[in-house]
């Protein structure tokens, strides 16, 4: 199934997610895609700055989620899988992985930033799924290594418009999957999970937690096996990979 939602091209804007939230606040929005050529105040998870040079893709899909927050909570995983699906279309041999909860990386280099925000518009739950994808540029100075679709392909023919078309179809498919249940989505995510079975550090509070990344449960929470053999469930945090398998 493909959601035939209109696409609004915005030129230069502060942030596609910020614009999506403005539209959601009116209560009269229609489900749509917002695409910017560049952003002046792009945001990532934990309110980190997202560098937004022209040539890369900056887009947010804004839609009502009829099943409410229970399904909206699956969107980070659906979006990460959609971005990884898109990347594999352009670079089928790339070692594309997802780092919990929704980073898409290749050999530890970040390909995209994903920011999921939700809210209520009257009785309806809305979702703003923002995705910034490095298409022609891998920005420096972001605090971690980065890569781009062009680098994965070894050429510069690729454009943000081409990537957007592939991403829109991939997201539609993964959203249908998310709405049908979490089990299939979870299985697909775990097949691409970076660090699964290895030691990770999760910065979830004042005291980081280290353990073996053992699984992801049916709600999307991370399951760690601690050094004392007990298991800990973590629902939010920032993951650092320590031991690879």
């Amino acid at each position: 199934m493909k959601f035939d939602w209109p696409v609004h091209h915005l030129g230069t804007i502060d942030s596609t997610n910020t614009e999506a939230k403005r539209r959601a606040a009116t209560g009269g929005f229609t489900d749509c895609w917002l695409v910017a050529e560049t952003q002046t105040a792009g945001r990532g998870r934990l309110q980190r700055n997202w560098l937004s040079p022209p040539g890369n893709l900056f887009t947010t899909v804004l839609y009502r989620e009829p099943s409410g927050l229970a399904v909206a909570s699956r969107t980070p995983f659906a979006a990460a899988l959609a971005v990884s699906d898109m990347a594999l279309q352009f670079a089928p041999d790339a070692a594309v992985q997802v780092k919990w909860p929704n980073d898409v990386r290749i050999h530890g280099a970040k390909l995209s930033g994903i920011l999921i925000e939700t809210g209520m518009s009257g009785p309806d739950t809305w979702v703003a799924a923002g995705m910034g994808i490095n298409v022609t540029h891998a920005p420096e100075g972001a605090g971690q290594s980065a890569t781009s679709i062009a680098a994965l392909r070894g050429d510069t023919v690729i454009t943000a418009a081409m990537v957007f078309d592939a991403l829109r179809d991939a997201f539609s498919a993964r959203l249908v999957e998310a709405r049908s249940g979490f089990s299939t989505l979870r299985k697909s995510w775990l097949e691409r999970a970076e660090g699964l079975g290895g030691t990770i550090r999760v910065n979830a509070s004042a005291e980081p937690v280290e353990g073996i990344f053992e699984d992801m449960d049916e709600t999307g929470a991370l399951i760690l096996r601690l050094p004392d053999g007990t298991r800990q469930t973590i629902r939010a945090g920032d993951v650092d990979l320590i031991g690879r398998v």
Side-chain angles (χ1 to χ4, degrees), residues 132-150:
I133 298 172
N134 299 332
V135 178
T136 59
H137 307 289
E140 299 178 358
Q144 59 181 298
S145 61
T147 189
S148 66
I149 297 294

Side-chain angles (χ1 to χ4, degrees), residues 39 46 54 58 66 70 77 104 136 206 211 226-227 244:
Q39 300 179 122
L46 307 178
F58 317 106
F77 308 100
V104 179
T136 59
L226 302 182
R244 298 178 181 270

Side-chain angles (χ1 to χ4, degrees), residues 20-74:
K21 291 173 70 176
R22 285 192 287 260
R23 295 184 181 216
T26 69
F29 72 91
T30 57
D31 297 349
C32 64
W33 286 88
L34 307 175
V35 182
E37 292 181 9
T38 188
Q39 300 179 122
T40 60
R43 297 179 289 122
R45 287 183 63 243
L46 307 178
Q47 298 303 310
R48 296 187 178 111
N49 180 51
W50 182 257
L51 300 177
S52 306
N56 287 350
L57 176 63
F58 317 106
T59 185
T60 295
V61 55
L62 171 65
Y63 61 95
R64 288 180 174 83
E65 178 46 63
S67 298
L69 288 173
V71 171
S73 66
R74 301 169 188 165

Side-chain angles (χ1 to χ4, degrees), residues 26-219:
T26 69
F29 72 91
T30 57
D31 297 349
C32 64
W33 286 88
L34 307 175
V35 182
E37 292 181 9
T38 188
Q39 300 179 122
T40 60
R43 297 179 289 122
R45 287 183 63 243
L46 307 178
Q47 298 303 310
R48 296 187 178 111
N49 180 51
W50 182 257
L51 300 177
S52 306
N56 287 350
L57 176 63
F58 317 106
T59 185
T60 295
V61 55
L62 171 65
Y63 61 95
R64 288 180 174 83
E65 178 46 63
S67 298
L69 288 173
V71 171
S73 66
R74 301 169 188 165
T75 310
F77 308 100
L81 285 170
V83 172
S84 64
D85 291 340
M86 174 278 299
L88 289 168
Q89 288 185 47
F90 290 105
D93 297 327
V96 180
Q97 293 184 296
V98 290
K99 182 167 79 76
W100 189 85
N102 59 8
D103 278 351
V104 179
R105 311 205 309 172
I106 296 89
H107 297 300
K110 192 165 182 174
L111 179 67
S112 69
I114 296 174
L115 176 62
I116 310 299
E117 297 182 283
T118 61
M120 300 299 296
S121 178
D124 300 325
T125 298
W126 58 260
V127 179
M131 291 163 275
I133 298 172
N134 299 332
V135 178
T136 59
H137 307 289
E140 299 178 358
Q144 59 181 298
S145 61
T147 189
S148 66
I149 297 294
L152 295 181
R153 288 171 57 87
D155 65 45
T156 57
V157 175
I158 194 73
T159 67
M162 295 163 61
V163 169
F164 174 72
D165 287 342
L167 177 66
R168 181 170 50 169
D169 290 347
F171 185 83
S172 290
R174 291 299 185 178
L175 180 57
V176 169
E177 196 172 35
R179 286 175 170 175
S180 67
F182 191 59
S183 59
T184 303
L185 204 66
R186 172 179 171 272
K187 180 176 182 294
S188 297
W189 193 95
L190 286 170
E191 288 171 351
R192 296 180 187 171
E194 185 179 18
L196 185 64
T199 302
I200 65 174
R201 178 186 298 113
V202 184
N203 300 297
S205 60
E207 190 69 30
V209 180
E210 289 188 13
I212 303 296
F213 176 14
E214 193 168 76
D215 202 353
M216 184 172 75
D217 73 12
E218 293 297 336
T219 69

